Amino acid sequence: MPRQEPGEPYFRVDSNEASSILNEDAEGAVVVDVRRDDEWETGHITGAVHIPIDDLPDRIGEVPRDKKVLFICAMGVRSGLACEVAFSMGYETDNLYNIDDGTPAWIAAGLPTTFPGR
């Protein structure tokens, strides 16, 4: 179940919860992976959009405003920051999610993953 810590303008979910959100509303949700290029190449959520955290302010227009946005990184820190950036740029709290257990947990759970070059 999505959790919200005091003062955070987003919800926290784990990989399984994020997968459920995507399965229940594939058209109404998007995953944005904010890891570096080299991390992206090691495997990422199938269908995710790749926008490294350092590029997010300049590329925020690529993130839909009318969908649930699930940010992910390796351990939940950069994705939490991405949620904060999106919120500061006018995104609604109700649509911001941090997959806080990160991509390694997603892959370990056997959830849909794309491995470039394989």
Side-chain angles (χ1 to χ4, degrees):
M1 182 165 156
R3 302 160 305 287
Q4 192 170 28
E5 299 289 327
E8 289 180 342
Y10 57 87
F11 294 95
R12 293 172 179 251
V13 294
D14 63 26
S15 292
N16 288 318
E17 291 166 327
S19 178
S20 292
I21 290 169
L22 293 168
N23 289 334
E24 290 168 11
D25 190 10
E27 295 300 314
V30 63
V31 175
V32 178
D33 189 321
V34 296
R35 296 175 301 151
R36 298 182 318 265
D37 292 344
D38 62 315
E39 293 173 294
W40 169 263
E41 292 298 321
T42 65
H44 53 268
I45 294 175
T46 300
V49 175
H50 182 222
I51 304 176
I53 188 64
D54 292 342
D55 298 342
L56 186 59
D58 292 334
R59 295 178 59 192
I60 195 72
E62 296 174 39
V63 180
R65 291 183 176 271
D66 59 345
K67 295 184 178 189
K68 293 177 183 172
V69 181
L70 293 84
F71 288 102
I72 192 166
C73 63
M75 296 178 55
V77 177
R78 289 172 287 177
S79 51
L81 176 60
C83 288
E84 298 271 359
V85 168
F87 177 74
S88 74
M89 299 182 99
Y91 285 72
E92 297 290 327
T93 293
D94 290 346
N95 286 337
L96 296 175
Y97 294 80
N98 176 10
I99 306 174
D100 64 1
D101 58 355
T103 303
W106 177 277
I107 293 170
L111 298 168
T113 305
T114 297
F115 295 97
R118 283 193 190 173

